[in-house]
Amino acid sequence: MKFNLVLGMKHVISNLSDIFQNSAFVESDFKLPPPVLLAKFSFLPISSFFPDDRPPFAQNWLNTVSQKDIQCLLAGFAMGILADGNPVPLLEEAIALSNHVLAHSYLGLYYFKIKDYEKAILTYTKAIESYGEEPFLYASRCLLYRLIDEDEGAFYDYQIAKRLDFNYHSVLEWEENQSDLTYFEAENLVIQELESKQSQLSTDEMNSLGLEYVHSYSYLKAIELYSSAIAKSNYLDSNLFVFRGSLYLKLTCFELALKDFNKAIDLDETRSAAYIFRAKVFESYRDFHQAIADYAKAEELDPSSSIVYEERASLLERLGNLNEALQDFDRLVVLNPEDFYVYSLRADLKEKLADMPGALEDYTKAIDLNPYYSDLYSYRAAVREKLGDTHGAKADMDRFNELEDE
C-alpha cells in the first residue's frame, strides 16, 4: 500500500544536490532550534515520499561538514533515505555521539521506508524520551500505529501532537481520509462541474474549485491547481500564494509555506491573511516574538478581523500570558456577539484565571445562543460545582446526558 504521507519531498529533493554542493547545508545550520531543523531538513512520513529519480551527489559534498555526528547524520540520510543502503550504523553512531534529534528522525524514517514498523515505533518512542515537546515525533508514531491498527496508541499520539501544534491535526486528518478521496470527489457536484471546464476557469471559479478540493481532502490537487495558475499567470496574484501556502501549512510543510507567505507579502504588503498564516508558521518554529509581530501587523491592516484575535489569544494563552489573551477574547466577543463559540473560549480562559463567576456568565451566554450543544452543560456544571452550586451542577449534567442520548 503506497502512502502519500509526505508532501514536499519532491519539491525539496530535486534541490538537495545543489544544497550540499553549494555548502548551504553546513554545521552552523544544526545550531538552530529543533523545530526549525526538523522543518528544514527532516523528511518524515508526514510530508514526503520516495521518488525514483534521486539526485546524484558530488563526491566531496560531505567535506563541508566538520562535526562527526553531523557527518554521520547526513551520510546516513544520503545512504538510507535517498539511496537504498543501510544507514543504521551511521545514524546510531550519530545518536551515540550527541543524541541528535534528526538522527532519530532519519532512523525512524528509514525503518518506515523498509516497512519495519515495529522498529520505527521503537525509534520514535526513544526519541520522545529526549524530545517530548516535538509534535512531529508523536505524529509520526501515530501514523505507524494506524498502519498496524493500534487505535489506542494512534489516538493518544494524535491528541498530543495536536496539543503541541494544531497543524498536526490537519495533516493527520488529511492522511486518515486519503482512502476516501475518490468517494468525496465523486459526491461533490461543484468539483464535477468545474473540472469539466478546468482549462477555461475564471479566477473565482478556480478559487471555488480549490476550496472544494480542500473540503474533499484533495489537498494535493488544490496545490497543483494553484501552482498551475501561478505558472500561467502574467500577473502574480498574492492570493494564490496565500491559498497554496495555507495548504502547505496544513500538511506541515513549513518551509514551503513560509516561502509562499513571504512571496505574498512581497507582492502585496497589505495582505493581512499572509501575516496571519505566516505567524502560524513562526509558532510552529517557536519563534513566538515574530509570530506576535505578524499578528500585530495583521491587526493593524484589518482591525475587524476576528481570526487575528482568536489565533493570537490562543498563542498568548499557551505562553501563559492569560491577561493579554483575555483582552483578545474580549475583542473577539465584541466582534462576534452572537457566536456561542467565542463565549465558550473566553469562559475557559476565565476558569484558568480563577474567575468562576465570569466563566459561569460566559457559559450561560453560550448556552443561550446554542442550547443544543451538549458539552457546554458539562463545562458549566464543573464551574457551578466549584462555586458550590451542587443543585445547578446536577441539573446541567442531567441536561448534558439527555442531549448525548438523543
Side-chain angles (χ1 to χ4, degrees), residues 20 58-66 70-76:
F20 288 129
Q59 290 185 352
N60 63 344
W61 67 268
L62 199 56
N63 294 338
T64 62
V65 179
S66 60
I70 297 176
Q71 284 189 342
C72 291
L73 176 75
L74 300 183

Side-chain angles (χ1 to χ4, degrees), residues 176-189:
E176 192 171 27
N177 284 283
Q178 289 306 287
S179 60
D180 295 321
L181 286 188
T182 302
Y183 170 78
F184 289 142
E185 291 179 12
E187 290 294 306
N188 192 309
L189 297 180

Side-chain angles (χ1 to χ4, degrees), residues 130-392:
S130 299
Y131 299 96
E133 295 299 309
E134 298 302 337
F136 85 94
L137 294 171
Y138 296 95
S140 297
R141 193 172 64 177
C142 173
L143 293 175
L144 291 160
Y145 278 139
R146 287 179 180 177
L147 285 172
I148 64 173
D149 296 323
E150 178 57 58
D151 294 337
E152 185 176 348
F155 181 75
Y156 170 82
D157 280 346
Y158 162 74
Q159 292 293 335
I160 298 296
K162 180 178 72 170
R163 176 179 63 78
L164 292 170
D165 185 338
F166 196 75
N167 290 307
Y168 285 88
H169 159 74
S170 298
V171 74
L172 291 171
E173 183 182 51
W174 168 75
E175 184 273 333
E176 192 171 27
N177 284 283
Q178 289 306 287
S179 60
D180 295 321
L181 286 188
T182 302
Y183 170 78
F184 289 142
E185 291 179 12
E187 290 294 306
N188 192 309
L189 297 180
V190 177
I191 288 178
Q192 304 308 313
E193 177 188 354
L194 293 178
E195 279 189 338
S196 66
K197 59 173 186 177
Q198 190 163 349
S199 61
Q200 303 170 348
L201 290 177
S202 68
T203 300
D204 288 342
E205 288 174 327
M206 184 197 63
N207 291 339
S208 295
L209 179 56
L211 287 174
E212 294 302 325
Y213 280 146
V214 171
H215 294 155
S216 300
Y217 297 101
S218 298
Y219 295 174
L220 304 186
K221 283 190 176 181
I223 287 173
E224 184 179 355
L225 178 71
Y226 294 134
S227 297
S228 176
I230 289 169
K232 294 176 182 178
S233 178
N234 293 324
Y235 168 75
L236 291 180
D237 185 345
S238 63
N239 277 321
L240 292 174
F241 290 95
V242 172
F243 295 153
R244 188 175 68 177
S246 69
L247 289 166
Y248 285 141
L249 182 61
K250 278 180 174 290
L251 293 166
T252 66
C253 300
F254 300 125
E255 283 292 292
L256 295 173
L258 183 60
K259 288 180 181 178
D260 272 0
F261 300 140
N262 285 340
K263 181 64 175 179
I265 291 168
D266 286 343
L267 291 169
D268 184 355
E269 292 183 351
T270 68
R271 185 67 60 198
S272 62
Y275 291 98
I276 294 171
F277 281 121
R278 192 173 71 173
K280 292 174 70 64
V281 175
F282 287 131
E283 284 189 49
S284 294
Y285 283 174
R286 297 181 193 163
D287 186 348
F288 301 126
H289 177 77
Q290 186 59 56
I292 289 173
D294 270 1
Y295 285 133
K297 182 64 175 179
E299 179 186 11
E300 175 189 326
L301 292 169
D302 187 2
S304 64
S305 173
S306 299
I307 191 66
V308 175
Y309 304 105
E310 182 176 345
E311 293 292 345
R312 185 171 62 190
S314 176
L315 172 58
L316 291 169
E317 188 173 351
R318 292 197 304 277
L319 294 176
N321 300 334
L322 302 187
N323 288 311
E324 291 182 55
L326 181 60
Q327 293 177 24
D328 275 346
F329 281 130
D330 288 343
R331 180 62 175 157
L332 196 59
V333 167
V334 170
L335 291 169
N336 301 279
E338 300 303 314
D339 184 351
F340 82 95
Y341 181 62
V342 300
Y343 290 97
S344 178
L345 289 174
R346 189 172 68 174
D348 179 67
L349 179 61
K350 286 181 177 178
E351 282 192 72
K352 294 175 182 176
L353 287 165
D355 178 10
M356 295 305 161
L360 178 62
E361 181 181 355
D362 274 353
Y363 281 132
T364 299
K365 181 63 176 179
I367 289 170
D368 289 343
L369 292 168
N370 190 350
Y372 300 106
Y373 187 45
S374 60
D375 286 345
L376 293 173
Y377 293 94
S378 67
Y379 301 152
R380 189 173 68 176
V383 172
R384 281 179 160 170
E385 191 71 41
K386 292 174 183 176
L387 289 170
D389 181 6
T390 55
H391 178 74

